[in-house]
Amino acid sequence: QVQLVESGGGSVQAGGSLRLSCTASAYITGPNCMAWFRQAPGKEREAVAAIYTGRDNTYYSDSVTGRFSISQDNAKNTISLQMNTLKPEDTAMYYCALKKSAICYNIWPRASEYNYWGQGTRVTVSS
C-alpha cells in the first residue's frame, strides 16, 4: 500500500512563506495526477494545486494563483508546494493526494477522484 507523507507545515505571519513536501513511500508507475488540497475548520476540503507528472502541467485555484507554486522531483518521488505571500485565510490542514495513471485536466479539483491521500500537515498564518 502506497503512503503519502506530507511535511513542511508550520506557523508563519501574514506575508511569509512556507514550503510543503509530499513523498510517496514507494515508486508509483506514472504518469499521475498529484495535488494539494486544504481544509480549514468548519469548511469543506478544497483543491489548491495539481501537477500532471507526465508533462509538468500545473493547475491552481483562483485563490492561490500567483502566490503558490507546485513542482515535482521525480528522483525523490516527491512533489512540493511553495507558498508565498501567505494570508490568514490560507490557514488550514493541507493534504497531498494522488490519482494514479491519470491526467489532471478537468478532474483535478474533485477530491473523490484521488486514490491515495496523506495524513495532512497544518499551516497556520497569523495576521
Side-chain angles (χ1 to χ4, degrees):
Q1 179 73 9
V2 173
Q3 289 184 322
L4 301 178
V5 180
E6 302 98 335
S7 62
S11 297
V12 65
Q13 288 191 328
S17 298
L18 284 173
R19 185 176 182 86
L20 307 183
S21 294
C22 170
T23 300
S25 61
Y27 177 75
I28 305 172
T29 302
N32 307 300
C33 178
M34 295 190 72
W36 287 96
F37 283 74
R38 66 187 181 187
Q39 188 166 18
K43 295 188 176 181
E44 292 187 356
R45 190 169 296 192
E46 65 169 339
V48 174
I51 184 166
Y52 173 55
T53 63
R55 294 187 179 182
D56 273 350
N57 301 91
T58 57
Y59 306 83
Y60 298 94
S61 67
D62 290 344
S63 61
V64 306
T65 296
R67 299 188 299 122
F68 290 11
S69 178
I70 189 171
S71 60
Q72 64 170 324
D73 184 340
N74 283 333
K76 298 181 179 179
N77 224 21
T78 296
I79 64 167
S80 297
L81 184 70
Q82 177 66 41
M83 306 186 296
N84 298 325
T85 319
L86 282 160
K87 304 176 181 180
E89 51 263 44
D90 295 317
T91 295
M93 185 73 82
Y94 283 71
Y95 298 91
C96 176
L98 182 148
K99 180 174 176 62
K100 193 176 182 307
S101 302
I103 62 174
C104 295
Y105 184 72
N106 275 352
I107 64 95
W108 75 272
R110 298 197 292 267
S112 60
E113 294 282 348
Y114 293 83
N115 310 107
Y116 302 100
W117 289 86
Q119 293 300 307
T121 185
R122 187 171 301 279
V123 172
T124 303
V125 184
S126 58
S127 57

